[in-house]
Amino acid sequence: MGRSYTLDDLQKWEARIYEKVQEFGLKCYPQEFEICDHVQMLGMMTYSGMPSHYPHWSYGKSFERLKTLYDYGVQGIPYEMVINSDPCIAGLMRDNSLCLQILTMAHVYGHNDFFRNNFTFDHTQASTVITRFKSHADRIRSYVEDPSIGQDGVERVLDAAHALSLQCRRNQAIRRLGRAEQIDRLLAEAESDRRDRVALGQKTANGPAAEHPDIHKFPLEPEENILLFIRDFNPRLTEWEKDLLTIVHEQALYFQPQIETKIINEGWACYWHREIMNSLDLPSDIHMEFLVRHNQVVRPIPGDINPYNIGLALWDRIEEKELGEARNHSEDRQTPDIRKKMFEIREVDRDTSFIRRFMDRETMERLDLFEAAPQHGDWVISKVADEENWRSVRDMLIQSVGLGGIPRIAVTDGDVDGARTLLLTHEFDGRELEAKYAEKTLEHVYQLWGRKVMLETRMNDNETTYSFDDSGLSITAEFGEAQYPSF
Amino acid sequence: MGAVFRPYSPSDSLQSDRTSGDRQRHREKLREALKRNIADVISEQSIIGRGPDSIVKVPIRGIKEYRFVYGSNNPQVAQGNGDSEPGQIVGKTRQQGKSGDGKAGNQPGEDYYETDVTLEELVEIMFEDLELPDLESKPLRQIESDYTHKRSGTKQVGIRAHLDKKKTAKNRIKRRFVHEKIERARQQDAAPLTPEPPPVPADEQEEARFPFSQRDFRYHRHKPDIRYESNAVVICIMDTSGSMNVMKKYLARSFFFLLYQFVRLKYRHTELVFIAHDTRAREVNEDDFFHRGESGGTMISSGYQKALDIIRSRYDPSLWNVYAFHCSDGDNFQEDIPKTLKLAQELCQCCNLFGYGEIKPAGGVSWGTPMLKYFDEINEPNFETLGISSKADVWPKFKAFLSRDKQTPAYTGNIFDPTG
């Protein structure tokens, strides 16, 4: 398929798209498009689109995998690669047809608007992200080149830090309290607790000893930023090691919103590319191709979750409820009053809240969402979205989207037994950890902490503690009462 | 205000090559992984018996990036075709026990990479695993293959043929220069009032004769220069009696392969001898050795006798490093045992290393008397017995066998007595 367009064509179409973007009221960062070939695209994908990124072998692995999948035709290259920066940068595959390029540009503007306006991206400082990543790369390269550190030294820390990078606080919009504030809050809670009991006529002396909260606990409240905790409280880390932990943490924070808004963001971009494409008066051949491509992108993938499909379905549902009926998107244009409501949602929601608020039984039936559980080596449907079960299927979905796929593990004690043993606690929500991965990751924690580390979790319905110290791994399980045979 | 377009630039090496460093490093990591799993790779059938340049495709398990993740047995939400009903089977879970990795989708799967390595490289990796430097420190038995001389400095006496003309001429020039200076000084002392002697026209006076003196002569000094040749022979002895089936032969072959590769690495010149025996022994070529089926009983002594004969006639231990290894399933005629032990002792005397490998695949049925316990009576430092029961055994046992080679001091004297 030859390329039947020139850069001029793209610019002309882009101008028309941008006209629509303004007409619809999307508020975007300035947009930049880069035309690239498939190897460059794979390269961009490898580094999550970042023009400069620090080196690490895992990106080589990631590239090889992408390339293998591409070479064997298992997986195509996505039409677009767009990064959250100001100006917003997106790649356009040179080999794509004109229709795909127009579609991609419209889609990119949807993402661009979402990046700029959604609350989860507030902390990402899009205008400086390129230079920050560049600075990270420069620093890490300088450590690699430092003969006293070298590649092995850098890799040792990075390998371990990567294992923990996503173990961080989930909502950056909530301010993290300092230690003094945490103490104040603890004391205030204890005080109000005491007053409540006095008011209830209980004698304080008889109640549980709650009036003296332990303010020497360390950390006072469970700390989810594991890397930062290690950085701040392992006195034996050198400056460059601390810097590596900081870099990995900062980059994870930058990517966190994209994990958190996969469904709502893709749905938003699909909604707007459809709206823009339908309002452009496309020539009929391009329009036909657009319909085919659009349906390819937003079709359901049986046995999996397609965020494009679910996201778009939810946005359409919101619109449908406002209008009272489904709109014919290719004929009728959107009305401004609906737009206002939708703009508000794109500002304040992320996947979890988006699904909780707008996924109703009818949408779930339309999407044919079900819950499956393993049974004798097969995945068997256990629940479908019927009257009885749709809420529990929905909640299961909410639990698994965004950062829900990452176990919540926090530092609950940084000084167990006064021996500076680090205690991590897994907040068990019914899902068990993968044991082998947990063991190996704990080893990484040990490498960074330098002293004994422990992980409390549940395995096979038993409270289980993994610990790792200089003699290696050990596991203790407290058997629940149900495990003992009754005589 | 529209968007900025950056046109395609194919030569943008920053863009297209940016992953190369990380890919390179990843490949290095895979190679390290290959090294760790070398035992598995070697036990794969495909590499044995190939030429050194042939390329082997080796599957390597990908390097995992561990994180805290959920296990695969938790219920999941997915989409259906539109008619999902409770109780429908929608897919297969992964085999338990094999790996606990999640179902396709959000969890890292088990990925395999195929790398091409040449056999040469593979052997190199194998012996890196063996910590070869240790082994190399062992003095090898070497023979003088070439005796020549090498120039090394000069001396004042010698025969005419060794005259160093350049040095000699230089010495004369030096001496003449000094001589002239002295002459001039003397003349000045003799006639202090004459400022300058009138220059003699060059063509009128022949240059004053200044002959070579005995003191000028320099001769090349010579040092003997001996080149050493290190020769080794690997004698593969195998029981080809009826009880040696294909699997046993394969295990034996793997072992011989490793031994040959190892010896070849240490010596400049390596030869292979194959001796097949049942009740009688014959020297055969490699193909017959591994493929010709035999039948009948077993007389191990016949194989050892043949090996000794061959060593005596062709591989004098003062010139050759002999490595002998015998693979058998341990069935031997009872009457043959004393003779076998005696000949084994003799072989120990003339070999750098002599080994006996008893191949007993697990679950196999055997008759007769396993030789391993009889061989325990032999206390030679360069004798080693080992039992191989599966493919996975080959590499660890081989390492153990060579560690014996590491410990034993080299055989240096010529204890061997050709007359028996």
Side-chain angles (χ1 to χ4, degrees):
Chain A
M1 191 168 65
R3 280 183 297 281
S4 52
Y5 59 89
T6 60
L7 197 61
D8 273 353
D9 293 331
L10 289 185
Q11 274 165 336
K12 257 181 242 152
W13 280 106
E14 194 278 331
R16 293 188 56 193
I17 291 168
Y18 189 68
E19 217 171 79
K20 293 290 169 195
V21 165
Q22 284 179 311
E23 185 189 320
F24 295 141
L26 297 178
K27 289 196 217 49
C28 297
Y29 293 124
Q31 183 64 52
E32 289 183 10
F33 291 105
E34 276 182 25
I35 320 291
C36 55
D37 61 30
H38 74 275
V39 178
Q40 292 169 343
M41 193 60 150
L42 288 170
M44 277 180 90
M45 288 164 67
T46 303
Y47 298 103
S48 312
M50 283 311 179
S52 58
H53 196 288
Y54 65 79
H56 185 255
W57 59 267
S58 60
Y59 302 109
K61 173 183 163 182
S62 155
F63 181 89
E64 302 286 359
R65 191 174 52 227
L66 287 169
K67 187 158 189 313
T68 309
L69 291 175
Y70 175 74
D71 287 348
Y72 286 92
V74 179
Q75 185 182 307
I77 287 182
Y79 300 136
E80 109 284 359
M81 177 80 229
V82 52
I83 64 172
N84 161 35
S85 63
D86 174 16
C88 179
I89 302 173
L92 292 177
M93 273 269 279
R94 170 172 94 104
D95 294 320
N96 283 344
S97 66
L98 179 59
C99 170
L100 267 178
Q101 304 290 30
I102 300 169
L103 173 68
T104 305
M105 288 190 287
H107 188 85
V108 162
Y109 271 113
H111 283 309
N112 184 339
D113 169 78
F114 196 87
F115 289 149
R116 180 158 183 181
N117 297 291
N118 185 265
F119 86 100
T120 58
F121 290 87
D122 282 354
H123 70 275
T124 56
Q125 302 168 46
S127 60
T128 59
V129 65
I130 304 285
T131 45
R132 274 185 288 142
F133 272 64
K134 173 85 166 63
S135 143
H136 293 164
D138 291 345
R139 265 139 70 194
I140 289 187
R141 286 210 173 83
S142 78
Y143 299 141
V144 169
E145 278 155 24
D146 184 334
S148 69
I149 303 169
Q151 189 166 44
D152 289 341
V154 169
E155 270 183 10
R156 187 172 45 76
V157 178
L158 281 185
D159 287 359
H162 282 180
L164 298 168
S165 64
L166 294 175
Q167 301 298 334
C168 42
R169 295 176 63 235
R170 308 270 163 142
N171 194 339
Q172 309 304 327
I174 299 171
R175 195 172 64 88
R176 187 168 172 274
L177 297 180
R179 191 171 168 89
E181 289 167 306
Q182 288 182 10
I183 290 174
D184 287 348
R185 188 161 78 175
L186 209 61
L187 292 175
E189 275 170 14
E191 176 62 18
S192 78
D193 192 41
R194 192 186 61 81
R195 276 202 210 115
D196 287 351
R197 268 188 285 179
V198 169
L200 286 169
Q202 289 178 344
K203 287 194 173 161
T204 49
N206 296 339
E211 75 264 41
H212 293 305
D214 179 10
I215 57 163
H216 300 291
K217 220 172 142 247
F218 170 67
L220 217 46
E221 292 174 7
E223 177 56 65
E224 284 188 278
N225 287 333
I226 298 182
L227 284 181
L228 292 193
F229 186 89
I230 291 173
R231 179 195 68 182
D232 294 341
F233 298 108
N234 176 2
R236 282 179 289 184
L237 289 178
T238 56
E239 285 308 311
W240 66 267
E241 287 171 317
K242 287 181 187 177
D243 193 29
L244 290 182
L245 299 188
T246 311
I247 289 171
V248 171
H249 174 75
E250 277 179 12
Q251 297 209 352
L253 275 199
Y254 168 79
F255 289 114
Q256 199 185 39
Q258 294 178 34
I259 304 172
E260 279 282 78
T261 59
K262 185 78 185 156
I263 290 172
I264 184 175
N265 191 355
E266 288 301 354
W268 183 252
C270 287
Y271 181 92
W272 286 107
H273 81 226
R274 185 183 59 192
E275 200 62 26
I276 292 169
M277 293 299 269
N278 278 327
S279 64
L280 278 179
D281 294 324
L282 296 167
S284 62
D285 56 332
I286 292 186
H287 189 75
M288 286 309 291
E289 195 189 334
F290 155 65
L291 291 178
V292 174
R293 300 289 189 187
H294 174 72
N295 283 317
Q296 276 174 359
V297 170
V298 301
R299 72 181 195 283
I301 302 172
D304 206 342
I305 292 282
N306 181 359
Y308 294 79
N309 178 251
I310 293 181
L312 184 62
L314 284 171
W315 283 112
D316 282 349
R317 180 67 179 164
I318 290 165
E319 187 189 78
E320 190 185 329
K321 280 203 162 162
E322 286 293 307
L323 287 173
E325 57 174 351
R327 176 164 65 99
N328 180 348
H329 292 100
S330 56
E331 298 294 326
D332 312 328
R333 296 275 61 83
Q334 196 201 39
T335 52
D337 48 320
I338 291 182
R339 215 174 282 160
K340 190 162 165 284
K341 161 101 178 159
M342 291 179 75
F343 282 172
E344 192 188 297
I345 294 168
R346 71 102 152 78
E347 261 180 64
V348 301
D349 273 316
R350 48 179 165 174
D351 283 355
T352 45
S353 59
F354 188 56
I355 295 171
R356 192 179 302 117
R357 287 173 62 188
F358 303 108
M359 182 72 90
D360 53 13
R361 186 179 158 200
E362 209 180 320
T363 314
M364 291 190 66
E365 273 175 354
R366 247 183 252 167
L367 293 169
D368 194 20
L369 288 168
F370 60 78
E371 186 186 309
Q375 215 177 76
H376 310 300
D378 292 316
W379 284 99
V380 178
I381 298 180
S382 48
K383 287 170 189 169
V384 294
D386 51 21
E387 187 52 43
E388 188 190 344
N389 287 323
W390 74 271
R391 281 193 180 83
S392 89
V393 177
R394 183 196 64 189
D395 292 346
M396 175 71 74
L397 178 64
I398 292 170
Q399 201 183 40
S400 64
V401 297
L403 294 170
I406 297 152
R408 262 178 204 272
I409 291 168
V411 176
T412 43
D413 198 341
D415 195 14
V416 180
D417 301 333
R420 297 202 71 80
T421 295
L422 186 73
L423 177 68
L424 303 178
T425 305
H426 171 216
E427 194 181 302
F428 186 72
D429 59 1
R431 290 177 289 176
E432 288 186 348
L433 298 180
E434 214 288 311
K436 176 91 195 297
Y437 273 66
E439 290 166 15
K440 293 284 187 180
T441 311
L442 195 64
E443 186 175 345
H444 282 314
V445 183
Y446 169 73
Q447 282 167 2
L448 293 177
W449 185 245
R451 282 176 175 268
K452 187 175 176 182
V453 290
M454 301 203 292
L455 170 69
E456 287 179 345
T457 182
R458 281 181 79 82
M459 285 285 176
N460 305 318
D461 288 330
N462 297 315
E463 294 295 337
T464 306
T465 305
Y466 290 83
S467 40
F468 202 101
D469 56 18
D470 51 7
S471 61
L473 181 81
S474 59
I475 303 167
T476 52
E478 282 173 26
F479 292 102
E481 282 168 31
Q483 295 289 313
Y484 294 110
S486 52
F487 294 101
Chain B
M1 182 205 66
V4 174
F5 279 87
R6 276 198 221 109
Y8 174 67
S9 53
S11 58
D12 192 345
S13 57
L14 264 176
Q15 280 280 337
S16 52
D17 273 337
R18 58 188 300 212
T19 57
S20 68
D22 287 342
R23 267 156 43 208
Q24 173 71 30
R25 182 69 191 135
H26 178 233
R27 247 173 262 139
E28 282 171 34
K29 304 272 292 184
L30 283 179
R31 210 181 155 80
E32 285 165 25
L34 172 66
K35 217 158 110 184
R36 282 195 298 276
N37 296 326
I38 193 72
D40 297 345
V41 175
I42 291 166
S43 60
E44 277 312 308
Q45 199 121 0
S46 54
I47 71 150
I48 311 292
R50 293 222 211 166
D53 293 329
S54 61
I55 288 167
V56 191
K57 275 207 183 305
V58 182
I60 315 173
R61 195 171 295 180
I63 305 158
K64 290 237 180 72
E65 291 159 86
Y66 293 102
R67 287 172 179 279
F68 289 122
V69 292
Y70 287 121
S72 59
N73 279 340
N74 298 306
Q76 307 228 347
V77 175
Q79 282 179 281
N81 281 318
D83 49 4
S84 299
E85 292 293 332
Q88 275 180 1
I89 293 172
V90 286
K92 288 239 170 272
T93 58
R94 294 214 176 196
Q95 278 294 307
Q96 273 298 315
K98 236 189 136 197
S99 104
D101 289 348
K103 124 183 167 174
N106 57 359
Q107 284 190 7
E110 191 81 73
D111 28 43
Y112 275 91
Y113 293 86
E114 266 199 348
T115 10
D116 292 345
V117 286
T118 63
L119 201 58
E120 201 71 56
E121 277 180 288
L122 205 58
V123 169
E124 216 172 87
I125 295 170
M126 270 159 48
F127 292 110
E128 271 173 39
D129 188 37
L130 280 178
E131 297 152 33
L132 199 59
D134 263 29
L135 294 163
E136 276 180 337
S137 67
K138 176 175 181 276
L140 307 174
R141 196 176 321 165
Q142 292 174 322
I143 52 162
E144 242 174 61
S145 67
D146 206 8
Y147 188 99
T148 53
H149 289 96
K150 201 166 73 178
R151 282 176 185 173
S152 158
T154 54
K155 53 185 180 178
Q156 291 201 350
V157 286
I159 55 168
R160 203 51 181 260
H162 291 168
L163 183 69
D164 185 339
K165 290 181 187 130
K166 197 171 167 190
K167 276 242 167 76
T168 306
K170 266 187 176 169
N171 282 339
R172 173 173 163 271
I173 292 165
K174 273 192 226 160
R175 196 165 53 81
R176 180 179 176 178
F177 180 76
V178 174
H179 176 81
E180 277 171 0
K181 226 174 171 181
I182 293 168
E183 281 301 300
R184 219 174 293 138
R186 271 197 196 133
Q187 279 171 15
Q188 275 173 8
D189 286 347
L193 294 179
T194 335
E196 193 73 13
V200 186
D203 54 331
E204 266 183 38
Q205 195 200 354
E206 230 181 288
E207 200 184 346
R209 221 179 87 79
F210 196 81
F212 282 100
S213 142
Q214 192 59 44
R215 281 178 296 159
D216 297 336
F217 288 113
R218 290 292 180 278
Y219 301 91
H220 292 297
R221 184 196 290 277
H222 285 97
K223 246 176 29 183
D225 179 26
I226 306 165
R227 301 267 158 96
Y228 291 98
E229 190 73 48
S230 55
N231 295 321
V233 58
V234 177
I235 300 179
C236 307
I237 312 167
M238 187 165 69
D239 180 358
T240 52
S241 65
S243 55
M244 285 293 281
N245 59 22
V246 176
M247 184 59 195
K248 289 180 186 175
K249 276 191 187 170
Y250 167 70
L251 290 176
R253 185 178 191 180
S254 311
F255 206 90
F256 289 137
F257 169 81
L258 290 176
L259 187 63
Y260 173 65
Q261 293 297 348
F262 167 70
V263 171
R264 200 172 57 96
L265 227 68
K266 285 173 53 169
Y267 299 94
R268 197 172 302 177
H269 179 67
T270 311
E271 284 187 15
L272 269 168
V273 172
F274 297 98
I275 300 170
H277 76 85
D278 39 42
T279 48
R280 284 169 309 123
R282 283 166 318 282
E283 185 179 355
V284 294
N285 63 28
E286 184 176 350
D287 199 48
D288 287 352
F289 186 67
F290 289 115
H291 296 114
R292 174 88 41 97
E294 300 288 339
S295 58
T298 313
M299 299 269 271
I300 293 178
S301 63
S302 67
Y304 290 180
Q305 188 58 54
K306 187 77 186 173
L308 284 167
D309 291 346
I310 290 172
I311 292 169
R312 275 167 203 163
S313 60
R314 300 191 338 233
Y315 302 106
D316 185 331
S318 59
L319 306 178
W320 291 83
N321 296 277
V322 183
Y323 289 80
F325 198 80
H326 175 220
C327 282
S328 164
D329 54 8
D331 305 337
N332 197 15
F333 282 127
Q334 195 72 42
E335 306 78 64
D336 189 46
I337 288 169
K339 194 178 174 199
T340 303
L341 293 179
K342 180 176 162 282
L343 291 173
Q345 296 267 18
E346 265 179 52
L347 270 172
C348 291
Q349 297 297 310
C350 57
C351 292
N352 287 35
L353 202 55
F354 172 50
Y356 169 74
E358 189 159 300
I359 296 167
K360 286 246 183 266
V365 190
S366 67
W367 298 271
T369 54
M371 288 297 292
L372 272 180
K373 61 171 187 270
Y374 292 105
F375 277 126
D376 284 346
E377 293 165 22
I378 299 179
N379 275 326
E380 298 291 334
N382 59 344
F383 180 72
E384 175 81 4
T385 56
L386 30 104
I388 302 169
S389 61
S390 70
K391 282 203 275 188
D393 267 358
V394 172
W395 183 244
K397 297 279 176 176
F398 180 69
K399 276 168 85 168
F401 178 59
L402 285 190
S403 67
R404 177 58 69 104
D405 191 37
K406 260 194 251 189
Q407 290 155 8
T408 46
Y411 165 90
T412 43
N414 185 5
I415 306 167
F416 180 68
D417 176 7
T419 56

